[in-house]
Amino acid sequence: MLKKIIILSTIVLLSACASKFKSDVATFHALPTPQGEKLALIPMLEEKQDSLEFAQYASVIGDHLASQGYTEAGDSEPDLIVGFDVTIDDGREKIITRPGPYGVYGGFPYWAGYSRFGYWGFHRARFRRGFVGRGFGFGGGFGAYGGFGAFGGFGGDRIIARTVYKATLTMEVRTKDGEKLFEGRAETETRKKDLPTTLPLLAEALFADFPGESGITRKIVLEPKEEG
């Protein structure tokens, strides 16, 4: 029972950590304090200006701009032009190192394990616990992902390869004459190539303490919202 409680507690903890959204936000601006200026919000790229997807993104960004004190121009002439773009790349492999449960070599030398369990007994015990790795099926095998090499051993560090995607929200604010008053971007790594889900979080990160200190990159961490 104790073992089950520990496992469940670990799962809950990992889930809580994984639910945090992290983003790098950089802004550069000479933006005056909002005075209810009327805005026109459009995608920077012409081919995206009739996109229903980008119309949805514009609605999300527009809500944040409204919360800052700006208003939608509608059919009237805007005071400021806000351009935005949202991209996600094709992904890359990211190597993550995680410590094993017992430290390097399981907390005891391999010869001590032999004297206590016998080689084959130790092997079967590891297999029954569901420890499945590459190579020969225990401790990650003898290959690059574990075994007796530099990457681990019995219960040593685990090497995990994951595909991650970089999503970026870019936004700029210009006067009607084209003078740029603000440019900013929010970037994050995500394990899913899913812009509709990622964009609202990028927008929230970009507008955290908007417009932010000019000329620096800030680490923004969004805590998960409580339901109910």
Side-chain angles (χ1 to χ4, degrees), residues 44 55-56 64 66 79 101 108 131 146 163 187 189 210:
M44 293 179 183
Q56 177 176 316
H64 284 282
D79 300 309
F108 53 86
F131 189 91
T163 301
E187 298 178 337
E189 286 187 346
F210 184 84

Side-chain angles (χ1 to χ4, degrees), residues 11-63:
I11 292 173
V12 171
L13 179 61
L14 290 175
S15 299
C17 293
S19 60
K20 291 182 180 181
F21 181 83
K22 300 178 182 179
S23 177
D24 292 331
V25 174
T27 56
F28 304 84
H29 59 86
L31 199 62
T33 302
Q35 301 291 332
E37 291 91 340
K38 294 179 292 184
L39 303 180
L41 178 61
I42 57 174
M44 293 179 183
L45 300 181
E46 184 177 356
E47 62 267 25
K48 296 179 180 180
Q49 291 178 6
D50 63 349
S51 166
L52 294 177
E53 178 185 4
F54 273 72
Q56 177 176 316
Y57 299 159
S59 178
V60 173
I61 297 169
D63 287 344

